[in-house]
Amino acid sequence: MSEDLRLMTLAEVSALFNIPLRDLKRDTKAGRAPHVPIGRGTERVHRRMTAEHVRAYQEVRAREVAPQQPQQEQPVDPLRQAIQATKKATARRRGHRAVAR
């Protein structure tokens, strides 16, 4: 059996590739990480991964964890801030007032 086709447990994958086991379990259960479900039913599914699955998962994680470019801060406009604060306060007051019909 070639190394690419060998099925590894999530604990083995976690130890070999330095991926937190909790993240690996969560992502396989949610379908974000490719895996092979072993067993019948849905209660206690045993999940296994091949080396190809691990490579694909690492690429996805690298894209998600890639640093985002910082957004440039918009200049502060005091008039706009005052208008927004007034709108929020008005909405809050109207939301708490009982409506008589």
Side-chain angles (χ1 to χ4, degrees):
M1 184 181 258
S2 73
E3 190 63 31
D4 264 3
L5 297 178
R6 180 177 169 269
L7 293 176
M8 297 179 280
T9 65
L10 297 184
E12 290 173 338
V13 171
S14 174
L16 285 173
F17 296 98
N18 198 23
I19 300 171
L21 182 59
R22 183 187 305 165
D23 292 351
L24 200 54
K25 284 181 179 181
R26 180 187 63 229
D27 289 343
T28 54
K29 188 173 184 177
R32 289 187 294 266
H35 66 282
V36 178
I38 304 289
R40 287 185 276 168
T42 57
E43 288 298 315
R44 293 188 53 88
V45 176
H46 301 282
R47 294 171 175 87
R48 302 288 188 264
M49 297 179 82
T50 64
E52 189 61 37
H53 289 148
V54 175
R55 282 189 211 103
Y57 178 60
Q58 286 178 326
E59 288 175 9
V60 169
R61 278 178 60 97
R63 274 187 262 132
E64 288 177 356
V65 178
Q68 302 279 332
Q69 291 186 3
Q71 295 180 358
Q72 294 185 4
E73 293 184 25
Q74 298 293 327
V76 177
D77 182 9
L79 181 59
R80 180 165 289 176
Q81 282 183 335
I83 292 171
Q84 288 176 347
T86 303
K87 285 181 180 179
K88 283 182 183 179
T90 304
R92 239 181 289 136
R93 272 185 265 138
R94 286 184 181 162
H96 293 294
R97 187 178 300 161
V99 178
R101 291 189 184 203

